Amino acid sequence: NPAQMKLVKLLVAPHRNLTVVGDDDQSIYGWRGANVRNILDFPKLYSDAKVVRLEQNYRSSAAILNLANAVIAKNTERHGKVLRPTKAQGEHLPEVFVYETEELEADNVCNEIETFLKDGHVCSDIAVLYRSNSQGASFEAELRKRQIPYQLSGGTAFFDRKETRDVLAYLRTALKP
């Protein structure tokens, strides 16, 4: 954020001894006050800096990286780079689904999970990743409704939160005093 950048400039001014790691294509912290201009303008502020582009990706297949490269290339406010895979080509091409509501998304994701399970996959082969904790409630509700076992990692399950348990207890008491 601007205050941190100002502090960094003051700290490194005498010797210009600084190491920075950043990715202008993943600048998702605007809500925290982060400013992608700090990454974009860094080579101008520190013209003697050695820039090393990390373009090899060990997580994704070529098909996924080709799609990512095509999307991020549309952004003219970025440093140029092309992500390249280190792993072999995956067997499936990426698909993009757009849903009008969280409930439709959860319903269709659970349809996919049920298809995978019918095809012989086991639950431990399947993962659902989402960007914000608020999305988890829709997935959890649909998974529970369909009796698909799941395990939440990296947060508190919606139905395990104290406030959710309290509301459910009040509803149970109201319905069956």
Side-chain angles (χ1 to χ4, degrees):
N1 67 36
Q4 291 169 325
M5 189 61 180
K6 194 174 198 176
L7 179 62
V8 166
K9 286 178 185 177
L10 290 170
L11 288 171
V12 303
H15 305 288
R16 297 176 63 84
N17 185 4
L18 177 64
T19 300
V20 175
V21 177
D23 186 348
D24 50 320
D25 292 326
Q26 295 189 36
S27 57
I28 60 172
Y29 292 104
W31 59 274
R32 282 189 176 170
N35 184 348
V36 72
R37 294 274 14 132
N38 291 332
I39 294 173
L40 295 173
D41 294 343
F42 189 84
K44 296 174 195 158
L45 287 169
Y46 299 92
S47 57
D48 53 336
K50 179 181 178 188
V51 176
V52 177
R53 299 196 195 293
L54 303 176
E55 296 178 316
Q56 284 193 310
N57 182 296
Y58 62 91
R59 290 186 179 141
S60 300
S61 68
I64 290 172
L65 293 177
N66 289 340
L67 178 61
N69 285 326
V71 170
I72 62 177
K74 306 279 187 223
N75 181 2
T76 57
E77 291 287 311
R78 64 184 290 270
H79 294 297
K81 64 182 161 299
V82 176
L83 301 174
R84 292 181 304 279
T86 58
K87 70 188 292 185
Q89 175 69 23
E91 58 186 82
H92 300 288
L93 293 176
E95 297 179 73
V96 176
F97 300 92
V98 178
Y99 302 104
E100 300 219 3
T101 66
E102 288 181 4
E103 292 75 23
L104 278 174
E105 181 178 21
D107 181 59
N108 284 313
V109 166
C110 286
N111 286 341
E112 291 289 322
I113 291 171
E114 288 176 334
T115 299
F116 289 138
L117 295 174
K118 285 177 189 161
D119 289 346
H121 294 277
V122 294
C123 287
S124 61
D125 290 340
I126 302 167
V128 177
L129 308 175
Y130 47 89
R131 287 182 67 92
S132 69
N133 287 335
S134 64
Q135 291 177 282
S138 300
F139 289 116
E140 286 188 74
E142 192 63 29
L143 290 164
R144 281 175 173 246
K145 184 172 97 178
R146 296 181 190 217
Q147 299 181 339
I148 299 171
Y150 69 92
Q151 181 178 7
L152 187 74
S153 176
T156 304
F158 178 77
F159 291 99
D160 291 340
R161 294 179 189 156
K162 183 184 181 325
E163 60 273 20
T164 305
R165 289 194 324 263
D166 287 350
V167 168
L168 289 173
Y170 293 135
L171 289 173
R172 277 190 213 101
T173 303
L175 294 172
K176 294 183 182 180

